[in-house]
Amino acid sequence: MNERRNIMFGLYFGEYLLEKNKISHSQLEAIMKEHTSRAKLGVIAVAEKLLTPKQAEELNELQKKKDSRFGDIAIEKGYLLAEEVNYLLTLQGNPYLKFIQSLIDMNIMNLNEIEECIEEFKKDYGLTDLELNALKSGDIDQIIPVFIDSNIPFADCIALVIRNIIRFINNNYNDTRN
């Protein structure tokens, strides 16, 4: 299921990046085929706004020199608390973060560029932080309220139709990849 969610976010945000000429069609295809197993802690910490891109870069450089874990160095430097590192570790398989990690691993964008694009995306679509976090989660039950007012007649039926459409699209997309 996580791979399907990764596809959903990747297609949505990827199309935005294409529209803004931030990436090419071939780059998006390569990202969608990329199977990053987990996001790195620095990427997650920046995405969660617990570190700045500059702090994450600093910690990455220190990690190369010290041969220590990123989280341990971040705690040692006073950038993160142990509880925050534990929280970040739970997010390593998040589909949104894996998409972002692929952008970085493939040298398509850096953390600063990604953060700028996310802010532009949020502004262009008029999304609140809560709505953006729902999209990032990949959880359809959190995403549907972003687009459908639950007070309108038949909102539950519309949500059910959307879930089925997404299930159909994801199954067809996975079938074409095999």
Side-chain angles (χ1 to χ4, degrees):
M1 185 66 165
N2 276 347
E3 184 175 337
R4 288 181 182 172
R5 290 179 181 162
N6 189 13
I7 292 166
M8 187 168 71
F9 175 81
L11 288 175
Y12 195 63
F13 186 61
E15 285 296 321
Y16 176 80
L17 294 174
L18 276 173
E19 178 184 306
K20 296 294 182 178
N21 295 314
K22 303 288 185 180
I23 64 173
S24 68
H25 286 283
S26 60
Q27 287 173 320
L28 179 58
E29 279 184 27
I31 293 166
M32 298 310 292
K33 290 179 184 175
E34 177 74 17
H35 292 289
T36 300
S37 60
R38 62 188 176 99
K40 295 179 181 174
L41 228 51
V43 171
I44 300 169
V46 171
E48 291 294 305
K49 307 240 185 283
L50 293 174
L51 293 178
T52 66
K54 185 177 179 180
Q55 289 171 319
E57 293 292 327
E58 176 190 342
L59 292 171
N60 283 330
E61 289 304 313
L62 286 171
Q63 187 178 20
K64 291 175 189 174
K65 295 174 186 171
K66 291 181 111 177
D67 192 33
S68 293
R69 295 184 306 185
F70 184 94
D72 292 338
I73 298 169
I75 292 168
E76 180 183 305
K77 292 278 293 175
Y79 289 163
L80 297 173
L81 301 172
E83 297 81 21
E84 292 171 320
V85 170
N86 289 334
Y87 167 70
L88 296 173
L89 288 169
T90 67
L91 298 177
Q92 283 190 311
N94 176 283
Y96 158 74
L97 295 167
K98 288 169 52 174
F99 181 86
I100 298 305
Q101 188 66 57
S102 293
L103 282 169
I104 293 166
D105 289 349
M106 298 172 78
N107 295 315
I108 296 170
M109 300 176 90
N110 64 40
L111 276 173
N112 284 325
E113 293 167 327
I114 293 167
E115 283 299 303
E116 289 171 11
C117 288
I118 291 290
E119 285 305 312
E120 288 173 20
F121 176 78
K122 187 173 117 178
K123 182 182 164 198
D124 288 352
Y125 286 98
L127 298 171
T128 65
D129 288 335
L130 188 62
E131 292 168 334
L132 182 64
N133 287 336
L135 291 174
K136 289 178 179 180
S137 77
D139 183 349
I140 193 65
D141 292 323
Q142 288 183 43
I143 294 171
I144 287 175
V146 171
F147 299 102
I148 297 177
D149 181 357
S150 62
N151 296 321
I152 65 169
F154 306 108
D156 290 339
C157 293
I158 295 169
L160 179 62
V161 168
I162 291 171
R163 282 186 194 91
N164 284 319
I165 289 170
I166 290 170
R167 187 176 306 120
F168 174 76
I169 290 169
N170 286 335
N171 285 339
N172 282 342
Y173 184 82
N174 285 336
D175 289 345
T176 62
R177 292 180 59 197
N178 294 333

